[in-house]
Amino acid sequence: MTDTQQWWRHAVGYQIYPQSFFDSNHDGVGDLPGVQAKINYLKDLGVDFVWLASFYPSGHVDSGYDVTDYCGVDPQFGTLADFEELVAALHAAGIKVVIDLALNHTSAQHPWFRAARQSRTNPYHDYYIWQPSDGQTPPNNWQSVFGDSAWQPNPATHEAYLHSFATAQPDLNWENPRVQQEMVQIIQWWADRHVDGFRLDGVTHLKKRADFADVTDPRTGYYQNLAGVAPYLAALRPVLTANHLLTIGEAGGVDMTTAKQWLDPTTGFFDLLLEFDHVHFWEMAEPKLPVAALRANLTKWQVALEGHGWSALFIENHDLPRAVSYYGDAVDYPRRSAQALGMWYMLMKGTPFIYQGQELGLTNADFTRIDQYRDLDSCNYYHRQLATGAPVANTLKQLAAKSRDNARTPIPWTGKAYGGFSTTTPWIDMGPDVAQRNVERESHDPLSVLTFYQQLIRVKQSVPALQTGRYELIDTYDDQLYVYRRTYNGDNWLVMVNMSSQIATTQEFDLTASELILTNLLVDSDSDAQQIQPWEARLYHLRQLE
Ligand code: NOJ
């Protein structure tokens, strides 16, 4: 593959969650013309491609990931003509377009499923996964990702269908070559509309245990890391390569051996994999981020993929809380920790993804009532917890820390009503501190998180060593510092981040002959070579190896 075809190796991506980006038609919901209205913002930020989260017509059960029509745009986001106009406008601005594709399931409202559930002889019946059912007892102990049994009775056929996510998201049967062919055609249909790539949703879910037996881990044991996904992915590969599409696999729980195979540039299926090994550390981040464990984990992946594949770098998306709240210090160091986290992950080896609002240092939503939540997973969790007798206050506290809605609040463009996102009440409440953290204010502040992200993007794009250079951890054997070097053709760069809210002391790095290129410490603060301030981040261009 030529370097031009591998444009994504030198690119910075930006994920847009259309519901919450910008509302152009004043109905409280963001939309595709709203994205178009903000192209100048994306240009100023400097990103090379956008990934648009699911915008297909849907049953609105799982925020667009329950698709009712794979070749359309949900009316709440606009029309197909709006989409085509948006793609053309983004391309004119030099920004490529990646779209989402939910491969594992459709909506229960999708015409395929409506037909499939009518009778066992319906031509679409075999598009889905069925087991005989008496309507009372689930066929086995498999559970859905969103809780409860993964089976839903279908009285018309005396069966139950599998849904590894919500009840309204029946799993497709990838054993069926017709399902594979449908997806091939859908990919071609969008390629004909000039998209540049796909983020393929939930690829680790596609293969299920064929024996339908009970499993030890009912949440993941029936689909995760089973042999047999490869033929399904191989069926998609020709249409993806023929159209030179960037392929990004969402691969929750993927093991490293599989990841290496799937990413192999000649025999693999994906250019980039979104694997989530590192984000689970946030669940252990109380009372303090386990920096040493995080260092070991990320280094393991960076080293394993060196020469074998390319990493996707990310700390946020629409399914995670805000990084400054889970990894950083949103109370004492909201600005500095947001910036430090940005430098820490973006300058590793791989293609960085920024999730909308991350570049503003947005924090968690701070919701205090269940009626503020919109996410199905969060609402289900709340009701399940209460049913087991868990106290309301405690459950709300857990949601405030981990709900997916934390990252789904609207983008504050200004400090005015509804953050200038809409002129009417948005579909979900705004996050906190809109007056402090918004695009208008941050774009005029040379010390803002937004300005720092702009600098990070420029440096990533302009320094070959920060793109292609080898990653080497410099282990500091502590629970505060994350230090690594990037090396390319004798050109060496050092990233040093204090990932704690306490001062850290470095080992004896001799940085005297090196140039400090970027830092998030205020210029008038004391910068000391040996003392690293809380959440201080430094990028050095090393003159020579120490
Ligand atoms: C992954 C998507 O990112 C998430 O939002 C969705 O809930 C699941 N797939 C199921 O569709």
Side-chain angles (χ1 to χ4, degrees):
M1 206 184 277
T2 64
D3 202 48
T4 336
Q5 283 169 350
Q6 292 192 327
W7 57 268
W8 40 270
R9 289 196 173 208
H10 310 280
V12 175
Y14 185 83
Q15 185 192 348
I16 292 182
Y17 185 71
Q19 290 83 323
S20 292
F21 196 62
F22 182 63
D23 171 19
S24 74
N25 63 346
H26 319 293
D27 63 356
V29 184
D31 42 52
L32 298 185
V35 177
Q36 196 173 333
K38 297 295 182 185
I39 288 180
N40 280 345
Y41 173 71
L42 300 171
K43 269 172 68 176
D44 289 348
L45 187 58
V47 296
D48 303 286
F49 69 98
V50 291
W51 148 27
L52 296 169
S54 191
F55 54 75
Y56 300 92
S58 92
H60 299 283
V61 166
D62 183 24
S63 191
Y65 288 87
D66 48 321
V67 175
T68 55
D69 175 6
Y70 284 102
C71 298
V73 170
D74 194 286
Q76 75 171 351
F77 297 131
T79 62
L80 193 57
D82 291 332
F83 175 82
E84 290 179 326
E85 232 186 82
L86 172 61
V87 172
L90 283 164
H91 283 168
I95 299 172
K96 295 193 191 298
V97 184
V98 169
I99 65 169
D100 231 295
L101 183 59
L103 297 175
N104 180 68
H105 42 261
T106 66
S107 161
Q109 300 307 316
H110 194 289
W112 298 341
F113 189 71
R114 288 157 80 116
R117 69 187 314 171
Q118 283 169 14
S119 76
R120 292 189 187 200
T121 51
N122 187 285
Y124 287 98
H125 187 261
D126 201 28
Y127 272 40
Y128 296 88
I129 300 174
W130 307 91
Q131 280 291 281
S133 162
D134 60 8
Q136 307 290 324
T137 329
N140 56 32
N141 74 342
W142 299 2
Q143 275 180 20
S144 82
V145 173
F146 294 155
D148 302 332
S149 171
W151 295 97
Q152 180 67 16
N154 185 53
T157 58
H158 304 289
E159 292 173 302
Y161 66 86
L162 181 73
H163 60 91
S164 56
F165 289 90
T167 315
Q169 291 170 300
D171 281 43
L172 283 163
N173 174 19
W174 275 79
E175 300 287 336
N176 184 346
R178 286 182 61 204
V179 168
Q180 301 173 13
Q181 278 319 304
E182 295 276 11
M183 288 301 174
V184 167
Q185 281 167 22
I186 289 161
I187 290 172
Q188 187 59 55
W189 194 87
W190 287 106
D192 293 343
R193 276 148 195 85
H194 311 298
V195 304
D196 302 287
F198 283 89
R199 178 263 192 186
L200 300 171
D201 183 71
V203 292
T204 34
H205 284 257
L206 299 186
K207 173 80 186 174
K208 287 27 175 228
R209 271 184 78 124
D211 60 3
F212 293 101
D214 279 1
V215 284
T216 326
D217 181 351
R219 280 302 267 283
T220 56
Y222 61 97
Y223 67 83
Q224 211 160 71
N225 291 319
L226 299 186
V229 185
Y232 309 157
L233 301 175
L236 303 182
R237 195 65 194 150
V239 69
L240 292 163
T241 37
N243 289 287
H244 305 297
L245 295 166
L246 166 63
T247 52
I248 308 166
E250 190 218 17
V254 72
D255 62 52
M256 198 173 279
T257 313
T258 310
K260 276 160 89 168
Q261 287 164 359
W262 287 1
L263 282 169
D264 186 284
T266 42
T267 55
F269 309 115
F270 299 106
D271 299 314
L272 299 170
L273 270 190
L274 299 165
E275 59 80 15
F276 293 81
D277 228 6
H278 64 288
V279 295
H280 296 296
F281 286 93
W282 76 271
E283 283 159 320
M284 306 171 216
E286 288 291 333
K288 196 170 159 301
L289 192 61
V291 179
L294 199 54
R295 211 161 44 209
N297 182 279
L298 278 158
T299 301
K300 187 179 75 180
W301 280 95
Q302 287 273 308
V303 170
L305 293 186
E306 177 67 47
H308 291 282
W310 199 256
S311 293
L313 307 170
F314 71 96
I315 51 174
E316 286 191 16
N317 64 31
H318 63 292
D319 294 328
L320 293 169
R322 289 290 184 184
V324 66
S325 297
Y326 75 77
Y327 271 164
D329 184 340
V331 177
D332 293 325
Y333 295 98
R335 179 190 64 83
R336 222 196 273 169
S337 68
Q339 294 168 329
L341 289 169
M343 182 185 286
W344 163 68
Y345 89 99
M346 278 183 65
L347 301 188
M348 289 187 198
K349 184 161 184 174
T351 300
F353 287 73
I354 298 165
Y355 174 71
Q356 66 178 45
Q358 178 188 328
E359 78 281 15
L360 302 172
L362 295 191
T363 58
N364 278 349
D366 267 0
F367 290 166
T368 53
R369 303 185 320 268
I370 190 61
D371 65 12
Q372 292 181 286
Y373 288 95
R374 299 286 174 269
D375 170 34
L376 164 90
D377 191 26
S378 306
C379 296
N380 281 355
Y381 179 79
Y382 177 84
H383 294 297
R384 270 202 319 276
Q385 286 299 104
L386 261 55
T388 65
V392 171
N394 199 33
T395 309
L396 285 173
K397 197 169 157 218
Q398 288 170 343
L399 284 186
K402 67 182 198 181
S403 168
R404 307 197 294 183
D405 279 341
N406 280 309
R408 296 179 178 186
T409 56
I411 291 296
W413 295 98
T414 68
K416 302 201 185 86
Y418 309 130
F421 160 75
S422 178
T423 50
T424 188
T425 315
W427 69 280
I428 189 170
D429 285 352
M430 303 295 298
D433 288 336
V434 168
Q436 288 304 314
R437 274 186 285 267
N438 63 64
V439 171
E440 191 176 54
R441 189 180 171 126
E442 292 199 32
S443 51
H444 294 113
D445 175 359
L447 303 175
S448 69
V449 179
L450 178 58
T451 305
F452 193 74
Y453 261 84
Q454 282 169 331
Q455 292 164 341
L456 274 175
I457 293 168
R458 306 268 183 285
V459 83
K460 178 85 182 181
Q461 288 162 335
S462 58
V463 177
L466 295 175
Q467 297 170 10
T468 340
R470 184 178 282 272
Y471 160 102
E472 289 164 29
L473 178 77
I474 299 180
D475 207 338
T476 47
Y477 305 98
D478 60 23
D479 231 351
Q480 289 180 283
L481 289 174
Y482 200 122
V483 187
Y484 60 91
R485 187 160 43 210
R486 300 292 312 278
T487 299
Y488 181 65
N489 281 349
D491 190 29
N492 298 291
W493 294 70
L494 189 87
V495 176
M496 184 188 284
V497 181
N498 180 355
M499 299 186 68
S500 80
S501 300
Q502 289 76 41
I503 290 180
T505 309
T506 65
Q507 298 168 316
E508 321 63 56
F509 293 117
D510 182 8
L511 297 164
T512 37
S514 304
E515 194 183 347
L516 182 63
I517 301 293
L518 187 58
T519 168
N520 62 344
L521 218 60
L522 301 184
V523 261
D524 55 359
S525 315
D526 279 343
S527 185
D528 178 317
Q530 252 63 48
Q531 299 256 301
I532 315 290
Q533 297 301 309
W535 295 105
E536 179 180 353
R538 303 179 187 172
L539 170 67
Y540 288 100
H541 191 192
L542 301 179
R543 291 293 176 221
Q544 63 204 22
L545 288 176
E546 319 93 74

